[in-house]
Each structure stands twice: as structure tokens, then as C-alpha cells.
Amino acid sequence: MAEPINYRSPTYYELAAPPELDWRPYRRPDYREYRRQWDERPGMREAGAFPLHLDIDPTNRCNLSCSMCPRTYYLKEGRPDWNPEGRLGDMDFGLYRRLIEEGAQEGLKSVKLNFLGEPLLYSRLEDMVSLAAEAGLWVMINTNATLLSREKSRRLLEAGLSDIFFSFDSPYPAEYEAVRVGAEYEKTLANIRDFMESKEELGKKGLQTRASMVLPKNLAGDELEKLKADYIKLFRDLKVAEIGFGRPTVMGLDYEKTYGLFPGFVCPDLFRRFFVFWDGPAGPCCGDWERRLIVGDARRQSIGEIWRSPAYLELRQAHLNGRYYDLPACRACSVPYLSTN
């Protein structure tokens, strides 16, 4: 019997956790209210006075050169758009502390420590996790898992990590290493296995785990179904709760110019989250790699000021008025199109 699919966005779908791996019953009671607001805000077109979630990039450094990654694309093209000053660096911990302290006072519910870099390269990642967890936030990381170890896994778990998402792009060694350039299939898989074993040893039943991959562009039919089945088996055997499959974005493609307008599209994330780059600029979008939608600077403004700023209100209003295409970054975005092309 096929597992149920939970469609979360046009570009991504996920197999829900089977009952024996379900982490939700072990969460605090406030988690359900948080997710209710997460789902309802976009439909109600209601941003509230403060975001529900912050995506914070601890570093823009990475140890891999993954073929589908925007970071890899911009570096290979020699384009500085993703990193205008050409600097690699880490977020100032004092800035991070201020963001978390304000968020805890104003109703922030969760934080994810990842954007364009690999968070495990940040030397104080466990401190980031513990600070947010102690403030009552749900704390998530996306990681390529190449730098995990049993010791680091235990430290993250003991710090209060609530969700970990492994990016692992094939069940087959050769294909995985061709995509995740610089990674070793067996070593990375062993790291994930160590994390899962540490999770069990520490009794962290409420921790969400997920493995996800970007599907190959040119695979379809039986070959695609076999790949997905093998991937599901690989991670179900490791007792990973959720399995995700993403559709690839074609880097450098202006989707509106290629496919035409997508009438009625309103980005849901404008009403519930925003992103803070490692060096402070803040914007609304996981795909704004070129920093075209920057609406504030967290080094000089509070989260609340940015969330309620005229620049952010203008972005929301453009979408609500059916004019997302007035914004070059939104017009070129793949999200509205990947469900139909």
C-alpha cells in the first residue's frame, strides 16, 4: 500500500512519517497552534505583527560544490550577485543573540539555521541551537551531513535541536557523488546512521528527521519510480521519519519569460517567514540568491521593524493585487511553474 503524500508546495512533496516513526505526539502542546498559524496565515492574507519563523544563515561557507546549488552556479559563472562584497564569513553571534531575544519576546515560533551555507561549518552552531531552544523556539537545521560525527550529533541533540533535514541526493553511490561534489557516499551515510542511533540512545522521540533529494531533470516513468522506491527504502531502514523529493530549478532561467505569467500566484512565505543573511541583510525569499528583494538590515533594525516596513508591505501588496510580475525576482521565480512544467 502506497504511503500518503503531503504536498507542501508546487516544488516539493513529502512522504509523511509512518505511525511508528511519528514524532508529533511527543511535541509540546504549543506546536499544533504554531503549525495552525503557519497554514492559515497565507490563506487569510494575514502577516500579523511579527513573523512566525526566521531562516538564519550562520555562514555562507560550504564544503561541497553540489551541481544543482545556486551557490555553485554563481561561483562557476563568476557572478558576485549572491555575495556582493565577495566575502565568506560567519554571522556575528551577538547579532544572532539579539534576533533570538527579540523573537522570543514578540512571538517568534521557530528558527532554521541554514540558507546558502553549510551550518556545520559554524563553530558555535551548538550554542546557536541551545540559545534558541532555551528561548522556547523550535530549532531546525538543513545539512549535507558530511561533517556530522557521533559526538557532534549528541551535542546538537543535547542542545535542544528539534528538526534536522538531511540533503542526500541519490540512493546510488556514483550518482550521489556526481551531484554532491566533494562528498563521500558511504561516509555521509554513516554520519546519518550515527545521528539516528544517537537520537534513539538519548530518547529524542519528538525530534523530526527528514531526508530529501532533488530529482534528476531527465528521469521519468519506471526509472523515476524505481529511484524513489530505492531512496525511500534506504532511509526508512535508517528510521528517518519523512522522505522528501524536490523538483529542480533551472538556474539562470527567467520562468516568466519562458512560460508566461502565472495568474493568481501569491507567495505564502510573505505572511509567515523571512530570511537573514549571515552578514545582516534581510529578505522574504528562499530563492532570492541575488539579494534583489532585501527589505531591511538586521544589523540596524529590529525584526519587527523589518516585518512591518513599507518595503515589506509593498511586496505583499504587489502579490495581493495580482502583480507579482512587477518584481523581477518574483517574476523569474520557479515556484509557481514547477507544478505544471
Side-chain angles (χ1 to χ4, degrees):
M1 180 175 173
E3 297 189 55
I5 295 177
N6 174 22
Y7 287 90
R8 292 193 172 181
S9 80
T11 62
Y12 179 82
Y13 65 93
E14 186 173 289
L15 300 179
E20 66 274 15
L21 298 179
D22 194 0
W23 43 271
R24 294 170 185 83
Y26 304 98
R27 291 259 161 137
R28 299 190 312 260
D30 61 301
Y31 181 75
R32 181 175 294 182
E33 172 61 17
Y34 155 50
R35 296 308 297 182
R36 182 190 68 78
Q37 292 183 48
W38 179 269
D39 292 335
E40 289 185 1
R41 274 198 188 187
M44 296 172 64
R45 306 299 195 246
E46 175 56 57
F50 207 82
L52 293 170
H53 174 86
L54 283 182
D55 290 85
I56 295 174
D57 213 8
T59 180
N60 69 343
R61 297 179 293 125
C62 190
N63 60 323
L64 301 184
S65 300
C66 303
S67 61
M68 71 300 188
C69 178
R71 188 180 185 281
T72 303
Y73 168 79
Y74 286 112
L75 286 170
K76 284 186 175 179
E77 293 288 313
R79 292 174 54 181
D81 316 56
W82 76 286
N83 188 18
E85 296 180 10
R87 292 186 297 131
L88 298 178
D90 299 340
M91 176 170 279
D92 176 75
F93 197 82
L95 170 59
Y96 175 76
R97 183 185 298 277
R98 181 169 62 78
L99 296 175
I100 296 303
E101 288 176 350
E102 182 195 354
Q105 292 175 358
E106 299 295 336
L108 187 70
K109 304 298 183 184
S110 63
V111 60
K112 181 156 71 69
L113 303 174
N114 168 258
F115 186 25
L116 282 175
E118 168 49 51
L120 292 176
L121 285 168
Y122 188 79
S123 63
R124 298 190 65 183
L125 184 63
E126 293 97 321
D127 293 335
M128 279 189 160
V129 172
S130 63
L131 185 68
E134 288 168 7
L137 305 182
W138 305 101
V139 191
M140 316 168 190
I141 62 170
N142 274 88
T143 177
N144 60 40
T146 58
L147 301 175
L148 272 179
S149 64
R150 187 172 290 270
E151 180 184 359
K152 185 173 285 292
S153 294
R154 291 185 73 91
R155 290 203 304 265
L156 288 168
L157 289 162
E158 290 169 346
L161 188 69
S162 61
D163 308 77
I164 188 166
F165 309 133
F166 304 115
S167 297
F168 196 94
D169 284 282
S170 179
Y172 313 129
E175 286 83 347
Y176 168 84
E177 292 177 4
V179 172
R180 292 267 157 188
V181 178
E184 298 176 31
Y185 177 92
E186 294 295 346
K187 182 179 184 299
T188 308
L189 200 60
N191 292 345
I192 296 173
R193 185 178 296 109
D194 284 345
F195 182 93
M196 297 304 297
E197 290 175 357
S198 297
K199 170 186 174 293
E200 291 300 310
E201 290 166 4
L202 293 172
K204 299 290 185 178
K205 292 184 177 181
L207 184 134
Q208 178 187 189
T209 55
R210 183 180 75 206
S212 59
M213 69 171 291
V214 176
L215 296 169
K217 295 176 185 176
N218 300 317
L219 207 61
D222 291 343
E223 287 184 306
L224 179 60
E225 293 309 308
K226 183 180 186 310
L227 178 145
K228 291 194 290 186
D230 290 345
Y231 190 86
I232 292 166
K233 183 179 187 311
L234 176 66
F235 284 101
R236 284 287 187 254
D237 286 350
L238 293 176
K239 298 185 179 180
V240 171
E242 268 108 11
I243 313 293
F245 298 100
R247 301 187 183 190
T249 293
V250 180
M251 296 304 303
L253 178 69
D254 186 319
Y255 276 76
E256 186 273 329
K257 288 182 179 178
T258 304
Y259 297 116
L261 296 176
F262 196 91
F265 175 67
V266 177
C267 180
D269 285 341
L270 293 172
F271 303 93
R272 59 194 184 190
R273 76 196 293 185
F274 78 84
F275 295 73
V276 181
F277 289 81
W278 71 275
D279 52 344
C285 181
C286 63
D288 186 25
W289 307 302
E290 298 180 10
R291 301 191 180 197
R292 291 187 287 181
L293 294 176
I294 297 301
V295 292
D297 191 326
R299 293 168 296 187
R300 302 176 180 88
Q301 298 169 276
S302 70
I303 301 169
E305 287 173 335
I306 297 171
W307 188 248
R308 298 184 295 269
S309 68
Y312 223 139
L313 292 173
E314 185 177 339
L315 279 176
R316 294 188 191 105
Q317 205 58 49
H319 278 247
L320 291 173
N321 291 340
R323 300 189 64 83
Y324 78 92
Y325 47 82
D326 285 344
L327 307 165
C330 298
R331 188 172 63 242
C333 177
S334 65
V335 169
Y337 300 90
L338 291 181
S339 61
T340 55
N341 292 281

